[in-house]
Amino acid sequence: MPHYNGTKSFTRLRQEIRQKNEGKCSRVDVLVASGTRISKKADEIKKLKEQSDQGLHDKQMSKFFRVCLAKIHMELIELKKKADQLIEEARKDVENARTEAEQSKKEAEAVRNNVDRKIEQNQCNLREE
């Protein structure tokens, strides 16, 4: 799960939380403070904080973190697949546009050559007359 601390270190964040909470700071507090932009997981994180406040065992919290990280990892994999798919579609579109441009260029050259020939024929006809 990405954090949104910016340049602030986790140690500094822990110190700030300890100052606010009278010396208490759990991993959940750090997670909530550093990951506030993650709206999907906010409810799960709040539940974890409530359970932590009630004295939930560390193993259960670790399991929760692993489950959250696994969900986020799967979402990232899906997003990467979609991004790769969109990139491939864009590449195909670019190649199609390039092919069409080359065909249009050839057609324009053919028209120009045809017009040049007709101009030459007309000039020859004018000279003969």
Side-chain angles (χ1 to χ4, degrees):
M1 178 163 68
H3 67 83
Y4 298 99
N5 282 351
T7 58
K8 185 187 294 187
S9 69
F10 286 104
T11 304
R12 192 169 121 206
L13 181 63
R14 276 189 214 106
Q15 288 175 348
E16 290 176 1
I17 294 171
R18 283 184 182 133
Q19 288 174 355
K20 289 179 186 176
N21 295 340
E22 301 171 3
K24 294 180 182 179
C25 178
S26 68
R27 294 186 308 177
V28 177
D29 294 329
V30 174
L31 179 66
V32 170
S34 66
T36 54
R37 287 181 54 190
I38 301 172
S39 60
K40 280 185 171 182
K41 305 298 179 207
D43 292 334
E44 292 176 350
I45 291 170
K46 286 179 186 176
K47 286 178 186 176
L48 177 63
K49 176 147 176 46
E50 290 171 4
Q51 291 172 349
S52 174
D53 291 342
Q54 295 171 0
L56 185 66
H57 198 268
D58 283 343
K59 288 182 181 179
Q60 290 174 331
M61 286 195 302
S62 296
K63 180 181 176 183
F64 175 80
F65 283 115
R66 284 194 305 271
V67 169
C68 286
L69 289 174
K71 287 179 184 178
I72 291 169
H73 182 72
M74 294 305 295
E75 290 172 6
L76 289 174
I77 289 172
E78 288 180 31
L79 288 174
K80 186 183 180 314
K81 286 180 184 178
K82 288 178 183 178
D84 290 344
Q85 202 174 34
L86 290 173
I87 289 169
E88 188 59 34
E89 289 174 8
R91 284 185 183 144
K92 288 179 183 178
D93 290 344
V94 167
E95 187 58 36
N96 289 339
R98 185 176 292 133
T99 304
E100 289 177 11
E102 289 173 5
Q103 289 174 347
S104 297
K105 182 180 176 182
K106 289 177 183 177
E107 290 173 5
E109 287 175 0
V111 169
R112 184 180 65 199
N113 291 338
N114 191 17
V115 168
D116 288 344
R117 264 188 265 121
K118 287 186 179 181
I119 289 173
E120 286 179 27
Q121 287 175 354
N122 285 340
Q123 288 176 352
C124 288
N125 289 341
L126 288 176
R127 287 183 197 152
E128 290 176 4
E129 291 178 358

mmCIF file of all heavy atoms in Angstrom, residues 107 109-125:
data_model
loop_
_atom_site.group_PDB
_atom_site.id
_atom_site.type_symbol
_atom_site.label_atom_id
_atom_site.label_comp_id
_atom_site.label_asym_id
_atom_site.label_seq_id
_atom_site.Cartn_x
_atom_site.Cartn_y
_atom_site.Cartn_z
ATOM 1 N N GLU A 107 -1.309 8.332 -52.607
ATOM 2 C CA GLU A 107 -2.419 8.803 -53.447
ATOM 3 C C GLU A 107 -2.199 10.254 -53.868
ATOM 4 O O GLU A 107 -2.434 10.611 -55.025
ATOM 5 C CB GLU A 107 -3.744 8.662 -52.700
ATOM 6 C CG GLU A 107 -4.196 7.237 -52.502
ATOM 7 C CD GLU A 107 -5.412 7.116 -51.614
ATOM 8 O OE1 GLU A 107 -5.987 8.161 -51.218
ATOM 9 O OE2 GLU A 107 -5.795 5.982 -51.311
ATOM 10 N N GLU A 109 0.683 11.795 -54.180
ATOM 11 C CA GLU A 109 1.777 11.808 -55.159
ATOM 12 C C GLU A 109 1.282 11.358 -56.525
ATOM 13 O O GLU A 109 1.667 11.926 -57.561
ATOM 14 C CB GLU A 109 2.924 10.914 -54.684
ATOM 15 C CG GLU A 109 3.716 11.490 -53.535
ATOM 16 C CD GLU A 109 4.772 10.538 -53.003
ATOM 17 O OE1 GLU A 109 4.896 9.408 -53.520
ATOM 18 O OE2 GLU A 109 5.471 10.936 -52.057
ATOM 19 N N ALA A 110 0.417 10.335 -56.543
ATOM 20 C CA ALA A 110 -0.138 9.863 -57.808
ATOM 21 C C ALA A 110 -0.970 10.958 -58.472
ATOM 22 O O ALA A 110 -0.865 11.191 -59.681
ATOM 23 C CB ALA A 110 -0.975 8.611 -57.583
ATOM 24 N N VAL A 111 -1.783 11.646 -57.681
ATOM 25 C CA VAL A 111 -2.593 12.748 -58.215
ATOM 26 C C VAL A 111 -1.691 13.862 -58.731
ATOM 27 O O VAL A 111 -1.905 14.415 -59.820
ATOM 28 C CB VAL A 111 -3.581 13.268 -57.145
ATOM 29 C CG1 VAL A 111 -4.233 14.556 -57.579
ATOM 30 C CG2 VAL A 111 -4.631 12.202 -56.838
ATOM 31 N N ARG A 112 -0.656 14.202 -57.975
ATOM 32 C CA ARG A 112 0.274 15.259 -58.394
ATOM 33 C C ARG A 112 0.979 14.874 -59.691
ATOM 34 O O ARG A 112 1.095 15.686 -60.615
ATOM 35 C CB ARG A 112 1.299 15.544 -57.306
ATOM 36 C CG ARG A 112 2.230 16.705 -57.677
ATOM 37 C CD ARG A 112 3.241 16.997 -56.615
ATOM 38 N NE ARG A 112 4.125 15.832 -56.500
ATOM 39 C CZ ARG A 112 4.884 15.593 -55.462
ATOM 40 N NH1 ARG A 112 4.889 16.411 -54.436
ATOM 41 N NH2 ARG A 112 5.653 14.523 -55.426
ATOM 42 N N ASN A 113 1.429 13.617 -59.772
ATOM 43 C CA ASN A 113 2.078 13.147 -61.002
ATOM 44 C C ASN A 113 1.115 13.201 -62.182
ATOM 45 O O ASN A 113 1.496 13.591 -63.296
ATOM 46 C CB ASN A 113 2.629 11.731 -60.826
ATOM 47 C CG ASN A 113 3.800 11.691 -59.868
ATOM 48 O OD1 ASN A 113 4.452 12.706 -59.639
ATOM 49 N ND2 ASN A 113 4.059 10.520 -59.306
ATOM 50 N N ASN A 114 -0.121 12.819 -61.942
ATOM 51 C CA ASN A 114 -1.137 12.853 -62.995
ATOM 52 C C ASN A 114 -1.373 14.289 -63.451
ATOM 53 O O ASN A 114 -1.453 14.566 -64.648
ATOM 54 C CB ASN A 114 -2.425 12.208 -62.493
ATOM 55 C CG ASN A 114 -3.428 11.968 -63.589
ATOM 56 O OD1 ASN A 114 -3.086 11.984 -64.765
ATOM 57 N ND2 ASN A 114 -4.671 11.726 -63.202
ATOM 58 N N VAL A 115 -1.475 15.211 -62.497
ATOM 59 C CA VAL A 115 -1.684 16.627 -62.827
ATOM 60 C C VAL A 115 -0.474 17.162 -63.586
ATOM 61 O O VAL A 115 -0.619 17.888 -64.582
ATOM 62 C CB VAL A 115 -1.955 17.458 -61.546
ATOM 63 C CG1 VAL A 115 -1.891 18.941 -61.825
ATOM 64 C CG2 VAL A 115 -3.300 17.079 -60.956
ATOM 65 N N ASP A 116 0.734 16.802 -63.169
ATOM 66 C CA ASP A 116 1.947 17.246 -63.863
ATOM 67 C C ASP A 116 1.964 16.739 -65.307
ATOM 68 O O ASP A 116 2.322 17.480 -66.238
ATOM 69 C CB ASP A 116 3.198 16.766 -63.120
ATOM 70 C CG ASP A 116 3.439 17.509 -61.819
ATOM 71 O OD1 ASP A 116 2.823 18.584 -61.629
ATOM 72 O OD2 ASP A 116 4.239 17.001 -60.990
ATOM 73 N N ARG A 117 1.570 15.466 -65.513
ATOM 74 C CA ARG A 117 1.517 14.919 -66.871
ATOM 75 C C ARG A 117 0.514 15.667 -67.739
ATOM 76 O O ARG A 117 0.794 15.985 -68.892
ATOM 77 C CB ARG A 117 1.153 13.432 -66.817
ATOM 78 C CG ARG A 117 2.373 12.538 -66.862
ATOM 79 C CD ARG A 117 2.020 11.074 -67.006
ATOM 80 N NE ARG A 117 2.002 10.502 -65.652
ATOM 81 C CZ ARG A 117 0.964 9.924 -65.079
ATOM 82 N NH1 ARG A 117 -0.153 9.755 -65.742
ATOM 83 N NH2 ARG A 117 1.017 9.475 -63.852
ATOM 84 N N LYS A 118 -0.636 15.964 -67.168
ATOM 85 C CA LYS A 118 -1.661 16.688 -67.931
ATOM 86 C C LYS A 118 -1.195 18.093 -68.271
ATOM 87 O O LYS A 118 -1.442 18.588 -69.367
ATOM 88 C CB LYS A 118 -2.976 16.716 -67.151
ATOM 89 C CG LYS A 118 -3.669 15.376 -67.131
ATOM 90 C CD LYS A 118 -5.022 15.462 -66.476
ATOM 91 C CE LYS A 118 -5.678 14.088 -66.505
ATOM 92 N NZ LYS A 118 -7.006 14.108 -65.916
ATOM 93 N N ILE A 119 -0.486 18.728 -67.326
ATOM 94 C CA ILE A 119 0.041 20.062 -67.601
ATOM 95 C C ILE A 119 1.058 19.992 -68.737
ATOM 96 O O ILE A 119 1.043 20.824 -69.658
ATOM 97 C CB ILE A 119 0.658 20.676 -66.324
ATOM 98 C CG1 ILE A 119 -0.433 21.031 -65.328
ATOM 99 C CG2 ILE A 119 1.509 21.900 -66.659
ATOM 100 C CD1 ILE A 119 0.077 21.477 -63.974
ATOM 101 N N GLU A 120 1.938 18.995 -68.705
ATOM 102 C CA GLU A 120 2.926 18.828 -69.773
ATOM 103 C C GLU A 120 2.250 18.567 -71.106
ATOM 104 O O GLU A 120 2.649 19.114 -72.141
ATOM 105 C CB GLU A 120 3.881 17.679 -69.433
ATOM 106 C CG GLU A 120 4.888 18.013 -68.371
ATOM 107 C CD GLU A 120 5.790 16.840 -68.060
ATOM 108 O OE1 GLU A 120 5.993 15.983 -68.957
ATOM 109 O OE2 GLU A 120 6.286 16.780 -66.927
ATOM 110 N N GLN A 121 1.210 17.711 -71.089
ATOM 111 C CA GLN A 121 0.485 17.438 -72.327
ATOM 112 C C GLN A 121 -0.161 18.706 -72.865
ATOM 113 O O GLN A 121 -0.129 18.969 -74.062
ATOM 114 C CB GLN A 121 -0.582 16.365 -72.091
ATOM 115 C CG GLN A 121 -0.027 14.974 -71.908
ATOM 116 C CD GLN A 121 -1.121 13.981 -71.563
ATOM 117 O OE1 GLN A 121 -2.278 14.361 -71.359
ATOM 118 N NE2 GLN A 121 -0.750 12.707 -71.488
ATOM 119 N N ASN A 122 -0.758 19.477 -71.977
ATOM 120 C CA ASN A 122 -1.402 20.724 -72.401
ATOM 121 C C ASN A 122 -0.361 21.693 -72.966
ATOM 122 O O ASN A 122 -0.611 22.380 -73.965
ATOM 123 C CB ASN A 122 -2.159 21.378 -71.249
ATOM 124 C CG ASN A 122 -3.451 20.669 -70.936
ATOM 125 O OD1 ASN A 122 -3.975 19.930 -71.760
ATOM 126 N ND2 ASN A 122 -3.959 20.878 -69.725
ATOM 127 N N GLN A 123 0.804 21.768 -72.342
ATOM 128 C CA GLN A 123 1.863 22.665 -72.855
ATOM 129 C C GLN A 123 2.356 22.198 -74.197
ATOM 130 O O GLN A 123 2.615 23.009 -75.099
ATOM 131 C CB GLN A 123 2.997 22.757 -71.837
ATOM 132 C CG GLN A 123 2.644 23.541 -70.602
ATOM 133 C CD GLN A 123 3.759 23.537 -69.566
ATOM 134 O OE1 GLN A 123 4.753 22.829 -69.708
ATOM 135 N NE2 GLN A 123 3.584 24.356 -68.534
ATOM 136 N N CYS A 124 2.488 20.872 -74.375
ATOM 137 C CA CYS A 124 2.905 20.337 -75.682
ATOM 138 C C CYS A 124 1.859 20.622 -76.736
ATOM 139 O O CYS A 124 2.188 20.995 -77.881
ATOM 140 C CB CYS A 124 3.151 18.845 -75.570
ATOM 141 S SG CYS A 124 4.636 18.418 -74.677
ATOM 142 N N ASN A 125 0.623 20.467 -76.381
ATOM 143 C CA ASN A 125 -0.481 20.741 -77.320
ATOM 144 C C ASN A 125 -0.484 22.236 -77.691
ATOM 145 O O ASN A 125 -0.733 22.572 -78.855
ATOM 146 C CB ASN A 125 -1.828 20.343 -76.727
ATOM 147 C CG ASN A 125 -1.998 18.848 -76.636
ATOM 148 O OD1 ASN A 125 -1.300 18.090 -77.307
ATOM 149 N ND2 ASN A 125 -2.916 18.417 -75.801
#
